[in-house]
């Protein structure tokens, strides 16, 4: 195997890690809320239904580590922190907007399909 023939496989593995991060349960919802502008932690927590404080912290740290979100500490009394999308984070939002829209539009059909499946006797 040459050095170049191994790259696609290596890149696929790395891409899978990134896709796992942005496709997790909370990341895209946080990115979606941040597209509306910078938000404080408590604003994000209220805006992302069902997320715990710990999961929001973990999600924001991961997004910050990957360059999707920036964290700014404001030296005021009391101090506060805001989060905003980076330029790369904005492109992630733009790329995933159709998926988020599809999800919202099809929720009733998905719910009905799940209920029908769960009601079947052969499952």
């Amino acid at each position: 195997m040459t050095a170049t023939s191994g790259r696609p496989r290596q890149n696929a593995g790395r891409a899978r890690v990134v896709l796992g991060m942005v496709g997790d349960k909370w990341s895209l919802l946080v990115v979606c809320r941040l597209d509306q502008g910078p938000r404080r932690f408590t604003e994000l927590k209220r805006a992302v239904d069902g997320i715990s404080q710990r999961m929001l912290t973990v999600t924001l740290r991961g997004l910050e580590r990957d360059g999707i979100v920036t964290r700014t500490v404001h030296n005021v009394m009391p101090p506060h922190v805001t989060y905003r999308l980076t330029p790369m984070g904005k492109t992630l939002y733009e790329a995933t907007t159709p998926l988020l829209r599809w999800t919202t539009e099809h929720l009733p059909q998905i719910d009905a399909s799940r209920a029908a499946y769960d009601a079947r006797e052969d499952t």
Side-chain angles (χ1 to χ4, degrees):
M1 178 183 289
T2 66
T4 57
S5 66
R7 281 194 192 130
R9 185 171 294 148
Q10 290 171 346
N11 287 341
R14 292 175 60 215
R16 189 172 41 252
V17 170
V18 173
L19 287 170
M21 181 277 302
V22 298
D24 74 11
K25 187 173 181 178
W26 301 110
S27 292
L28 289 181
L29 295 173
V30 170
V31 166
C32 183
R33 297 308 181 265
L34 287 173
D35 183 64
Q36 301 161 6
R39 298 273 187 113
R40 293 177 69 173
F41 185 91
T42 53
E43 292 174 304
L44 279 171
K45 181 144 179 0
R46 280 191 300 265
V48 180
D49 187 41
I51 195 167
S52 69
Q53 183 167 332
R54 182 185 181 299
M55 275 313 306
L56 181 56
T57 299
V58 168
T59 300
L60 287 167
R61 285 181 182 162
L63 291 170
E64 183 180 10
R65 180 175 183 250
D66 290 336
I68 307 297
V69 166
T70 59
R71 178 180 183 267
T72 304
V73 178
H74 300 274
N75 291 322
V76 294
M77 263 321 191
H80 71 269
V81 176
T82 56
Y83 298 88
R84 77 173 49 224
L85 292 179
T86 64
M88 185 170 57
K90 289 179 184 180
T91 64
L92 173 62
Y93 173 77
E94 291 165 3
T96 56
T97 297
L99 176 61
L100 294 167
R101 188 177 306 120
W102 180 91
T103 302
T104 303
E105 290 172 2
H106 290 87
L107 279 174
Q109 292 167 282
I110 292 168
D111 290 342
S113 293
R114 286 179 175 177
Y117 180 90
D118 292 346
R120 291 188 344 210
E121 291 184 19
D122 64 342
T123 59

